[in-house]
Amino acid sequence: MNLTRQLVLTVLLVGLTACSSLYYKGLEQVGIPKREVMVYRVEKARDTQQETKQQFKTALERFTALTQFNGGDLQASYDKLNGEYQASEKMATEVHKRIGDIEDVSEALFSEWEAELLQYSNVAMRRNSQQKLAATRIQYKQLITAMKQAEAKIQPVLTVFRDQVLYLKHNLNAQAIASLKGQLGSVQSDVSTLIAAMEKSIDEADTFIQNMEKP
């Protein structure tokens, strides 16, 4: 999608809610159909997942560093970990929103596509369009399933991070740091699982975008 069309999408998105029919109508009036909106939102969701993957990697690095704390400013180390937790929580919220945006436009797109099938007088064209709709729905289901599976892996990691941050908040001492070490292996495993799910979802998004952009 070219820069001008991206700017139009961004400007209209600021002015209208994601689920508003006026939003889609406004885009169509400037030549941007629901199909392009869907591709745009999948791209944004993919990019958000990339950022989320990196954020959780950074949070894990901070957590690991704190378990290896050996003198210095413990409060500063805690503040850094808390900052990474807050950033991770923010990204989790953003991922959820992006998935919702895709679901919203997909419902509008598929409903419109179904209705337009009835307008064909040419049987061969209608059949071809039906086949494309069916294929797109299958691809969409694979995409949204992968995205939701990845999202589901976020909360277990956030829960552990939140517990550790809350505990450290009131127990900034060597004993508390020692307790973190016992959780490190589990956290590393959870983050690795999350990253693998994110990467699968990102790959699904790339495939979906490529298929949607084919002539």
Side-chain angles (χ1 to χ4, degrees):
M1 187 183 298
N2 63 41
L3 180 59
T4 300
R5 295 172 91 81
Q6 285 185 350
L7 288 173
V8 170
L9 280 166
T10 302
V11 170
L12 286 176
L13 184 58
V14 171
L16 298 166
T17 61
C19 61
S20 173
S21 60
L22 292 176
Y23 171 68
Y24 300 124
K25 185 176 181 180
L27 289 175
E28 287 171 349
Q29 288 176 345
V30 294
I32 301 177
K34 295 179 182 69
R35 186 184 187 88
E36 282 193 30
V37 179
M38 190 170 189
V39 170
Y40 176 79
R41 289 186 177 178
V42 172
E43 288 173 344
K44 296 297 287 184
R46 176 200 61 195
D47 294 346
T48 297
Q49 288 189 320
Q50 287 278 19
E51 293 170 11
T52 301
K53 183 179 75 170
Q54 186 56 50
Q55 173 56 43
F56 275 87
K57 282 184 177 180
T58 302
L60 176 60
E61 290 170 1
R62 185 63 62 190
F63 183 87
T64 302
L66 192 53
T67 65
Q68 299 168 354
F69 182 81
N70 189 27
D73 190 341
L74 187 53
Q75 180 65 50
S77 296
Y78 161 78
D79 289 341
K80 290 177 181 178
L81 177 63
N82 185 43
E84 294 302 339
Y85 165 70
Q86 297 293 337
S88 299
E89 194 171 50
K90 183 177 179 181
M91 291 307 304
T93 300
E94 185 70 11
V95 166
H96 184 74
K97 177 185 178 300
R98 295 296 184 190
I99 292 174
D101 288 346
I102 293 171
E103 289 181 310
D104 184 75
V105 71
S106 69
E107 182 178 342
L109 172 63
F110 293 142
S111 294
E112 179 184 70
W113 200 335
E114 282 279 6
E116 289 175 346
L117 290 175
L118 302 176
Q119 300 174 24
Y120 281 98
S121 58
N122 186 297
V123 176
M125 287 183 176
R126 183 190 301 119
R127 186 183 303 113
N128 182 263
S129 187
Q130 285 176 322
Q131 291 171 347
K132 288 182 178 179
L133 171 58
T136 302
R137 275 181 161 152
I138 290 172
Q139 293 161 3
Y140 167 74
K141 184 176 181 180
Q142 293 173 340
L143 168 69
I144 210 68
T145 297
M147 285 191 166
K148 288 188 173 183
Q149 286 176 341
E151 183 188 14
K153 299 293 189 298
I154 293 176
Q155 195 54 51
V157 179
L158 277 180
T159 297
V160 173
F161 279 154
R162 180 174 61 248
D163 285 349
Q164 300 306 323
V165 167
L166 286 173
Y167 185 70
L168 284 171
K169 183 178 181 180
H170 303 290
N171 300 275
L172 280 177
N173 51 50
Q175 184 178 355
I177 297 301
S179 73
L180 294 186
K181 293 181 180 180
Q183 296 289 325
L184 182 58
S186 177
V187 174
Q188 288 174 328
S189 177
D190 286 345
V191 172
S192 294
T193 300
L194 168 61
I195 289 173
M198 284 286 178
E199 289 175 346
K200 179 181 177 181
S201 179
I202 290 166
D203 289 342
E204 287 287 352
D206 285 335
T207 299
F208 185 85
I209 291 166
Q210 292 169 6
N211 288 333
M212 288 290 280
E213 290 182 337
K214 287 180 181 178

